[in-house]
């Protein structure tokens, strides 16, 4: 195009206007960045918790905002005694003032003494990196529970159902549930009504015909001799002027019912581990508008009875005879004259505290995917996945019809459910119809691990909606996302989450189906870090650590499971007892929780002394039960090796824990101990050529991961591990303890392709093998089942769970190495992004919602180039490791790295470049030849 003089002048003028205008626009708006606003307020890790008993609770919030390098420079917290005061910015209980700090979690309340049975309201605002002040957050809320002995007026009450002294081994004793009720009147205007309740046993609280709250299995499982948890509910809107009725249904639960394998192995006690009769205690605190207050507590003026729940046992199942319902028993106006005076029990000896976490809830409802009828009148409902929970039954038919539900994880070849692997868990629910229209029933005091429900006795042919799966869990696995090009691995990820939900059931259980369901410590420690990636388990694991601390043996060992209801001596084992150190350490690492480290510290020291005592020249022998590398295949690692190596790992973690707690002398003591163990260990178990004396996959994995190899031999050890895996056709020979460490050790020493080959493997033994065999969950054993082997082999019949999270511990590797999200300090403030990139997969996308916000990392191949995207949350920093030799080949966005001022290059070497970035989204691209 030819420019005429006129158009040229016009162009110059336009450019001038544009430039001038642009300058004005930038001058007006440039410095203003989006405000960072605090969200998702939590108190003691919980959203608006009720009735807590922590006297100086900890606060946290999350920050969100656009742009890069955003951070908090200060915060202010207001805590008020009323909503109104908070709205008017009156922190009458605590005004922290403007505190210069980057912290957004583990912030300890420091206001006036918190008062029993009182509501508190709080909010927070922050100042960003440019000192811009945010809005106040949405208000948060919590209430304090009953803090003083004198606050408690309720008595533990129950209904006397007699006692059947049946032979304890050969027949089951399953007493009925007990019903308790009380009518009361409200004559004045209510300002606030709160109910505090608990039971020795299990209870469901009722008010005016409705269940109070949405919890299952209240009050949770603890060592009831040590402590009992209670629940708090705000019922201000559920009580009415005039007549009201409150009630409770109680059953044996963990307190008095069957627990674990006691019946199977014929222990002295098979049930009633904490007491014989379940009892309930509660009190209703009513504050009236006129300033007066009334407490209505359980006592002998309540009424008691039996009812339709004829049997109620966690392992054995529930039986409900609807013909025996007391219609309207939990509503006002019910005539309870025929009911009895309850039996009053004395208070238990232990502590009475608020449950530190949330209770079990119904997290999902499942519609059956299929019904089959392998035998006339036997209907099998397939719920599509193997979960923990109950089945809701919908039925219509004549009174007295008995419908029986049994549960199985897999089907036999004839299409019937397999129940042999449940061992002595009867896992059978029975419903007897009252014959009045459509009847819908859910059991209250039992649960099962199952995919299939066998229904017999159903009147007529059931339709698909006769059964609904009620998925129960203490947690939701919504903290992470994971996707890769290999579909099998995506299914594996789903299976891991399903199995975690099925087993995070007030405590981390080994399995939800057979007569076990115990808080096995070895399983919990090996899976701990994986658990944190999939779900927010901060309060859940806090609760479990209290159980573990309560269960510590007098001589210092942590037991095989917690709570520990049996009175059996020497119930400990290497790699199981070490949960007492490994789990708290990870609570610090993931949630920056130093308080739990302080809480556990004395016990951990005692445990270290126990280990020192048991050791000779720094070698801790096997000892206790010692299951070794449980369920390993083909190779056996000696129990001594496992005992000695975990002792070294404990010493290493203790040094770090002591350092974090500012106990520098202790830290030094444990560092020296670690060095001594390492020396003794390598002298005993590591040969001069870098091989271990036992030469199993597990021996290399543990020693490499625990840093027990002498520095000059570690590379050789790693090479030998790699060689062994190759020779074993890229398959495992390891069990519960070795497997995840094989993955972690391979990635630590740069054998990325090998780690991916194991991850993708579908031949036995591998994770893919279970997925290829149609599993929706993680199996206890590598070879739990094959499509061609659906008949019960001896193995299947005896001990075989299809919902065991322990082998799901590969999730730790998936997030730490494949996605590449780790933390350098406690709580992901200083994040490490270091994905292991391999040609074995086309891409990996993942994210993790940490206590400091959501971190995302993904990478994919584009020809011989890698595109990597990273999302770093506000108020955190990340070191990003990029496998590149020459930094000048690296681009971020469309620019060469040198042109992106917000990125700092902190180190380069022949293997990688390490960049430091602040919050924001970054896309890197680089050529890579692994
Ligand atoms: C449990 C395991 C547990 C093991 C101890 C089993 O019965 O199910 O998960 O760790 O015993 O070896």
């Amino acid at each position: 195009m030819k420019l005429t003089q006129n158009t040229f002048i016009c162009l110059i003028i336009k450019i001038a206007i544009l430039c001038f205008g642009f300058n004005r626009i930038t001058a007006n708006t440039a410095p203003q960045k989006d405000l960072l606003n605090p969200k998702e307020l939590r108190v003691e890790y919980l959203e608006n918790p009720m009735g807590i008993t922590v006297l100086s609770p900890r606060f946290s919030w999350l920050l969100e905002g656009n742009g890069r390098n955003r951070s908090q420079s200060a915060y202010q917290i207001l805590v008020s005694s009323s909503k109104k005061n908070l709205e008017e910015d009156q922190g009458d209980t605590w005004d922290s003032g403007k505190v210069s700090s980057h912290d957004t979690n583990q912030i300890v309340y420091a206001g006036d003494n918190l008062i029993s049975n009182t509501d508190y309201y709080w909010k927070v605002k922050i100042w960003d990196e440019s000192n811009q002040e945010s809005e106040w957050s949405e208000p948060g809320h919590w209430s304090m529970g009953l803090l003083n002995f004198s606050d408690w007026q309720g008595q533990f009450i129950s209904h006397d159902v007699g006692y059947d002294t049946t032979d304890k081994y050969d027949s089951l004793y399953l007493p009925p549930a007990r019903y308790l009720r009380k009518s009361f009147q409200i004559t004045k205007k209510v300002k606030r009504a709160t109910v505090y309740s608990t039971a020795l046993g299990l209870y469901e609280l009722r008010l005016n015909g409705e269940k109070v709250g949405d919890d299952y299995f209240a009050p949770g499982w603890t060592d009831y001799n040590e402590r009992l948890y209670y629940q708090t509910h705000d019922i201000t809107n559920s009580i009415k002027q005039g007549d009201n009725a409150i009630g409770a249904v109680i059953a044996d639960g963990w307190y008095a019912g069957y627990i674990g394998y006691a019946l199977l192995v014929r222990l002295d006690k098979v049930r009633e581990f904490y007491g014989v009769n379940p009892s309930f205690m509660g009190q209703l605190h009513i504050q009236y508008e006129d300033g007066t207050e009334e407490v209505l507590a359980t006592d002998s003026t309540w009424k008691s009875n039996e009812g339709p729940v004829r049997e109620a046992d966690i392992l054995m199942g529930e039986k409900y005879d609807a013909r025996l319902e007391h219609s309207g028993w939990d509503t006002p106006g019910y005539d309870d004259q025929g009911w009895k005076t309850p039996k009053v029990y004395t208070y238990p000896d232990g502590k009475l505290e608020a449950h530190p976490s949330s209770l079990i809830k119904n997290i999902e409802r499942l519609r059956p995917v299929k019904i089959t009828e392998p035998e006339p009148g036997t209907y099998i409902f397939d719920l599509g996945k193997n979960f923990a929970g109950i089945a809701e039954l919908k039925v219509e038919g004549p009174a007295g019809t008995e419908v029986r539900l049994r549960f199985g994880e897999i089907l036999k070849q004839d299409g019937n459910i397999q129940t042999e692997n449940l061992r002595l868990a009867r896992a059978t629910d029975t419903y007897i119809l009252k014959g009045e229209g459509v009847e819908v029933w859910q059991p209250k005091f039992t649960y099962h691990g199952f995919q299939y429900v066998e229904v017999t006795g159903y009147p007529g042919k059931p339709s698909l909606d006769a059964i609904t799966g009620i998925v129960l869990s203490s947690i939701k696995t919504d903290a992470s996302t994971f996707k890769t090009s290999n579909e099998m691995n995506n299914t594996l990820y789903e299976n891991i989450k399903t199995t975690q939900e099925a087993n995070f059931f007030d405590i981390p259980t080994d399995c939800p189906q057979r007569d076990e369901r115990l808080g096995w410590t070895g399983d919990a420690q090996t899976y701990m870090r994986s658990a944190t990636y999939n779900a927010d388990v901060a309060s859940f694991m806090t609760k479990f650590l209290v159980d573990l601390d309560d269960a510590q043996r007098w001589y210092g060992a942590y037991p095989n499971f917690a709570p520990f209801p049996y009175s059996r001596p020497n119930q400990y084992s290497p790699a199981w007892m070490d949960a007492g150190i490994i789990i708290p350490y990870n609570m610090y690492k993931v949630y920056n929780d130093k308080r739990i480290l302080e809480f556990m510290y004395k016990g951990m020291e005692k445990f270290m002394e126990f280990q020192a005592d048991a050791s000779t020249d720094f070698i801790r022998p096997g000892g206790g039960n010692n299951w070794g590398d449980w369920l390993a295949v083909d190779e056996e690692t000696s129990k001594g090796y496992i005992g000695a190596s975990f002792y070294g790992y404990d010493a290493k973690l203790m040094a770090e824990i002591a350092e974090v707690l500012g106990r520098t002398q202790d830290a030094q003591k444990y560092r020296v101990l670690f060095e001594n163990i390492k020396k003794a260990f390598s002298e005993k178990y590591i040969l001069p050529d870098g091989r271990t004396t036992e030469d199993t996959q597990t021996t290399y994995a543990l020693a490499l991961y625990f840093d027990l190899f002498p520095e000059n031999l570690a590379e050789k050890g790693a090479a030998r591990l790699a060689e062994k895996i190759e020779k074993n056709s890229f398959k495992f020979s390891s069990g519960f303890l070795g497997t995840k460490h094989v993955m972690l050790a391979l990635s630590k020493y740069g054998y990325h392709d090998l780690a991916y080959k194991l991850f993708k493997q579908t031949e036995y033994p591998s994770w893919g093998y279970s997925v290829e065999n149609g599993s929706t969950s993680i199996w206890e054993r590598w070879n739990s089942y094959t499509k061609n082997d659906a008949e019960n082999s001896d193995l299947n019949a005896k001990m075989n769970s299809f919902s065991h999270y322990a082998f799901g511990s590969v999730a730790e590797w998936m997030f730490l190495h494949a996605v590449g999200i780790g933390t350098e300090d406690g709580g992901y403030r200083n994040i490490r992004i270091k994905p292991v990139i391999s040609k074995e997969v086309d891409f990996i996308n993942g994210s993790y919602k940490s206590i400091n916000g959501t971190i995302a990392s993904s990478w994919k191949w584009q020809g011989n180039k890698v595109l990597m995207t990273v999302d770093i949350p506000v108020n955190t920093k990340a070191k990003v490791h990029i496998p590149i030799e020459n930094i000048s080949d690296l681009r971020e966005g469309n620019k060469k790295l040198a042109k992106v001022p917000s990125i700092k290059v902190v180190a380069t070497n022949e293997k990688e470049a390490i960049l430091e970035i602040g919050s924001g989204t970054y896309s890197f691209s680089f050529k890579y030849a692994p």
Side-chain angles (χ1 to χ4, degrees):
M1 190 172 92
K2 249 186 168 178
L3 284 180
T4 62
Q5 203 182 6
N6 273 353
T7 48
F8 183 67
I9 291 166
C10 276
L11 200 64
I12 297 286
I13 292 168
K14 270 187 187 160
I15 290 170
I17 291 170
L18 269 177
C19 290
F20 181 64
F22 183 68
N23 276 341
R24 278 180 44 169
I25 292 162
T26 48
N28 283 344
T29 57
Q32 196 74 19
K33 283 188 191 165
D34 280 1
L35 292 180
L36 299 180
N37 286 317
K39 292 194 171 77
E40 297 195 31
L41 275 56
R42 297 285 182 268
V43 178
E44 285 297 308
Y45 300 125
L46 300 169
E47 190 179 351
N48 299 331
M50 295 285 299
I52 65 170
T53 41
V54 177
L55 298 180
S56 33
R58 293 162 297 172
F59 299 110
S60 72
W61 56 87
L62 288 182
L63 295 174
E64 269 173 24
N66 295 333
R68 286 187 174 178
N69 287 316
R70 306 299 309 276
S71 62
Q72 168 189 298
S73 57
Y75 67 79
Q76 182 177 9
I77 294 175
L78 293 186
V79 179
S80 310
S81 57
S82 70
K83 271 187 198 155
K84 188 165 168 286
N85 283 357
L86 193 74
E87 268 160 29
E88 290 167 2
D89 299 343
Q90 302 290 318
D92 57 321
T93 306
W94 186 38
D95 180 347
S96 71
K98 182 174 176 182
V99 181
S100 291
S101 166
H102 290 300
D103 295 343
T104 57
N105 54 62
Q106 308 296 353
I107 295 164
V108 179
Y109 171 82
D112 295 349
N113 280 349
L114 296 169
I115 301 166
S116 186
N117 186 33
T118 302
D119 291 317
Y120 293 94
Y121 302 87
W122 73 290
K123 61 185 178 183
V124 57
K125 73 173 159 191
I126 69 107
W127 285 260
D128 72 5
E129 67 289 344
S130 326
N131 212 23
Q132 280 193 117
E133 195 173 328
S134 76
E135 307 283 335
W136 282 110
S137 67
E138 289 294 314
H141 165 254
W142 87 93
S143 71
M144 295 305 288
L146 299 184
L147 304 177
N148 314 308
F149 175 69
S150 55
D151 295 328
W152 288 103
Q153 299 176 24
Q155 293 176 308
F156 281 81
I157 57 170
S158 189
H159 179 71
D160 190 358
V161 297
Y163 190 76
D164 175 359
T165 48
T166 343
D167 169 59
K168 68 179 173 187
Y169 296 125
D170 292 323
S171 54
L172 296 176
Y173 172 48
L174 299 168
R178 287 80 155 159
Y179 288 71
L180 299 157
R181 78 172 308 279
K182 169 98 185 168
S183 296
F184 62 97
Q185 282 232 319
I186 299 290
T187 51
K188 296 190 280 185
K189 257 194 129 196
V190 174
K191 188 172 159 214
R192 175 185 191 261
T194 310
V195 63
Y196 299 95
S197 51
T198 187
L200 291 163
L202 296 178
Y203 76 102
E204 182 181 287
L205 185 63
R206 315 278 310 177
L207 180 74
N208 294 333
E210 307 267 339
K211 174 172 169 168
V212 178
D214 56 359
D215 300 332
Y216 289 73
F217 293 86
W221 187 5
T222 49
D223 179 343
Y224 300 112
N225 301 315
E226 292 285 332
R227 76 186 72 228
L228 174 65
Y229 290 140
Y230 66 86
Q231 283 69 46
T232 304
H233 292 283
D234 177 1
I235 50 161
T236 314
N237 297 325
S238 316
I239 56 171
K240 301 179 295 196
Q241 287 297 300
D243 293 334
N244 290 268
I246 188 162
V249 193
I250 54 173
D252 288 347
W254 294 289
Y255 177 76
Y258 291 92
I259 299 180
Y261 55 76
L263 184 60
L264 182 80
V265 304
R266 296 185 165 230
L267 295 184
D268 275 1
K269 266 192 183 182
V270 298
R271 63 192 309 283
E272 296 153 15
F273 291 98
Y274 303 99
V276 176
N277 288 301
S279 56
F280 169 76
M281 192 270 281
Q283 52 194 55
L284 185 55
H285 287 240
I286 308 169
Q287 289 165 5
Y288 294 105
E289 293 277 5
D290 67 5
T292 58
E293 197 170 329
E294 203 177 350
V295 177
L296 181 101
T298 42
D299 60 17
S300 55
T301 68
W302 284 50
K303 291 292 184 140
S304 75
N305 209 342
E306 292 180 21
V309 178
R310 304 312 303 158
E311 293 176 0
D313 186 84
I314 294 180
L315 289 175
M316 306 306 170
E318 196 156 319
K319 181 175 189 176
Y320 189 92
D321 188 343
R323 295 169 303 179
L324 303 179
E325 280 175 0
H326 305 291
S327 178
W329 72 277
D330 52 359
T331 58
Y334 176 79
D335 180 4
D336 61 14
Q337 275 194 11
W339 288 44
K340 301 268 178 342
T341 300
K343 245 183 129 167
V344 175
Y345 292 85
T346 49
Y347 258 68
D349 286 336
K351 301 183 177 81
L352 190 53
E353 292 173 344
H355 195 292
S357 185
S358 40
L359 285 176
I360 293 157
K361 306 223 186 270
N362 173 200
I363 56 163
E364 197 182 349
R365 285 175 70 88
L366 298 175
R367 276 180 62 78
V369 293
K370 196 158 86 184
I371 311 183
T372 50
E373 193 180 358
E375 281 161 37
T378 299
Y379 299 97
I380 308 290
F381 287 72
D382 177 355
L383 287 153
K385 70 173 179 182
N386 190 15
F387 66 101
I390 48 178
E392 183 181 271
L393 173 72
K394 193 168 150 199
V395 61
E396 187 169 5
T401 311
E402 202 167 313
V403 181
R404 196 173 70 149
L405 311 180
R406 296 199 312 145
F407 302 85
E409 294 181 287
I410 57 164
L411 296 181
K412 299 186 199 181
Q413 266 171 0
D414 64 6
N416 281 302
I417 54 170
Q418 191 212 61
T419 55
E420 288 78 356
N421 69 330
L422 307 184
R423 298 192 313 210
L424 295 187
R426 191 191 63 177
T428 303
D429 297 339
T430 306
Y431 182 78
I432 304 173
L433 277 73
K434 59 186 167 195
E436 295 167 13
V438 177
E439 300 174 38
V440 178
W441 174 71
Q442 270 187 28
K444 299 178 196 301
F445 302 117
T446 192
Y447 79 98
H448 317 289
F450 65 104
Q451 174 169 346
Y452 302 95
V453 188
E454 177 204 82
V455 179
T456 50
Y458 198 88
K461 213 175 166 63
S463 56
L464 214 55
D465 69 349
I467 292 289
T468 304
I470 305 294
V471 184
L472 300 177
S473 182
S474 294
I475 54 137
K476 270 195 187 148
T477 51
D478 56 4
S480 59
T481 59
F482 180 88
K483 203 151 185 56
T484 181
S485 48
N486 192 37
E487 263 315 310
M488 179 278 283
N489 291 125
N490 297 329
T491 309
L492 173 68
Y493 171 60
E494 291 306 317
N495 294 359
I496 291 171
K497 291 195 295 177
T498 299
T499 306
Q500 184 173 339
E501 285 178 349
N503 282 295
F504 276 45
F505 209 90
D506 206 58
I507 56 161
T509 61
D510 54 337
C511 54
Q513 71 300 87
R514 67 169 175 240
D515 53 353
E516 198 127 359
R517 311 184 194 184
L518 297 167
W520 282 96
T521 45
D523 309 36
Q525 67 83 0
T526 207
Y527 189 72
M528 170 63 186
R529 194 57 178 271
S530 295
T532 66
Y533 278 116
N534 292 332
D536 174 359
V537 295
S539 65
F540 179 87
M541 279 297 176
T542 302
K543 191 257 172 198
F544 183 58
L545 286 174
V546 176
D547 294 332
L548 193 56
D549 190 63
D550 282 349
Q552 187 172 16
R553 309 287 84 190
W554 61 267
Y555 44 86
Y558 291 100
N560 292 333
F561 40 85
F564 192 80
Y566 305 152
S567 48
R568 302 184 89 185
N570 301 335
Q571 289 290 302
Y572 64 86
S573 171
W576 272 251
M577 58 183 169
D578 308 73
I581 289 177
I582 297 170
I583 298 178
Y585 171 78
N586 278 294
M587 284 291 291
Y588 158 69
K589 228 24 208 174
V590 174
Y591 302 114
N592 188 28
D593 193 335
K594 295 181 190 158
R595 190 180 271 185
I596 198 80
L597 293 182
E598 281 292 359
F599 171 78
M600 298 289 288
Y601 196 75
K602 250 196 170 150
M604 294 194 277
E605 279 198 298
K606 197 167 169 194
F607 173 49
M608 290 306 286
E609 281 161 26
F610 161 76
Q611 301 196 73
D613 247 25
S615 308
T616 311
D617 296 332
F618 304 106
I619 294 290
R620 181 182 90 180
N625 299 94
N626 207 340
W627 291 286
D629 188 18
W630 184 241
L631 303 182
V633 284
D634 303 330
E635 285 184 343
E636 196 180 322
T637 300
S638 78
K639 293 171 177 174
Y641 190 100
I642 289 184
S645 61
F646 271 86
Y647 183 32
Y649 189 42
D650 290 340
K652 188 169 139 74
L653 298 186
M654 280 303 281
E656 209 178 318
I657 289 169
E659 196 70 60
V660 165
L661 295 180
R663 298 170 191 260
T664 37
Q665 272 185 356
D666 284 4
Q668 182 55 16
K669 176 179 87 185
Y670 288 119
R671 269 194 293 271
V672 170
L673 176 63
F674 173 69
E675 288 308 327
N676 286 332
I677 296 172
K678 181 170 178 167
K679 190 161 172 284
F681 181 89
S682 57
E683 276 168 16
K684 187 169 162 79
Y685 291 113
I686 304 200
L687 301 168
D689 63 356
R691 288 196 181 199
T692 63
T693 49
E694 302 181 6
D695 198 33
T696 64
Q697 288 181 9
T698 293
T699 52
Y700 292 100
L702 295 183
L704 289 166
Y705 185 76
F706 297 164
D707 278 336
L708 291 170
F709 257 89
E711 273 66 36
N712 60 333
L713 295 180
E715 294 287 348
K716 282 192 177 149
R720 175 63 187 156
L721 172 63
E723 183 190 10
K724 279 183 66 69
I725 286 165
E726 261 186 77
K727 284 199 172 142
N728 200 35
S729 318
F730 308 106
K731 286 184 271 185
F732 290 111
S733 59
S734 49
F736 272 27
L737 307 180
T739 301
K740 86 159 185 191
H741 293 109
V742 166
M743 299 295 285
L744 298 172
L746 287 175
S747 288
K748 183 170 169 184
Y749 286 91
Y751 293 94
H752 305 320
D753 289 356
L754 264 192
Y756 279 107
K757 281 192 161 75
L758 286 167
F759 186 49
K760 284 166 53 189
Q761 180 63 267
T762 54
E763 275 174 33
Y764 164 81
S766 68
W767 294 289
Y769 181 72
S770 65
V771 174
E772 297 266 300
N773 273 286
S775 182
T776 59
S777 51
I778 301 296
W779 296 343
E780 178 175 24
R781 297 167 182 273
W782 287 124
N783 59 343
S784 281
Y785 172 85
T786 68
K787 276 178 190 158
N788 304 327
D789 178 32
E791 272 309 308
N792 299 312
S793 69
D794 208 27
L795 175 75
N796 277 346
K798 273 188 189 147
M799 185 173 177
N800 192 2
S801 142
F802 296 89
S803 180
H804 236 75
Y805 63 71
F807 275 127
S809 58
V810 65
E812 178 173 348
W813 176 86
M814 287 160 65
F815 285 96
L816 194 59
H817 293 296
V819 178
I821 297 176
T823 179
E824 300 206 328
D825 53 357
Y828 296 87
R829 271 290 300 284
N830 288 296
I831 296 161
R832 197 191 58 206
I833 301 288
K834 192 177 181 182
V836 289
I837 296 167
S838 153
K839 284 276 183 191
E840 288 290 325
V841 287
D842 301 338
F843 70 88
I844 304 256
N845 291 338
S847 68
Y848 166 56
K849 186 172 182 187
S850 77
I851 194 162
N852 271 301
T854 300
I855 307 158
S857 160
S858 61
W859 59 266
K860 68 173 177 199
W861 286 104
Q862 204 173 64
N864 61 354
K865 262 169 74 183
V866 175
L867 305 184
M868 193 169 148
T869 311
V870 176
D871 248 308
I872 299 301
V874 167
N875 203 40
T876 66
K877 277 190 179 147
K879 290 216 168 76
V880 183
H881 295 244
I882 300 203
I884 189 170
E885 273 173 42
N886 190 346
I887 193 84
S888 58
D889 293 342
L890 181 63
R891 296 178 80 86
E892 197 281 314
N894 284 326
K895 294 188 192 132
K896 288 216 158 203
L897 201 68
K899 300 219 161 128
V900 189
S902 56
I903 298 177
K904 205 162 112 195
V905 180
V906 277
T908 51
N909 57 44
E910 68 287 358
K911 282 190 185 152
E912 60 177 11
I914 305 174
L915 316 176
E916 191 179 270
I917 56 177
S919 72
T921 302
Y922 301 78
S923 331
F924 300 102
S925 55
F926 53 94
K927 280 206 181 110
Y928 181 48

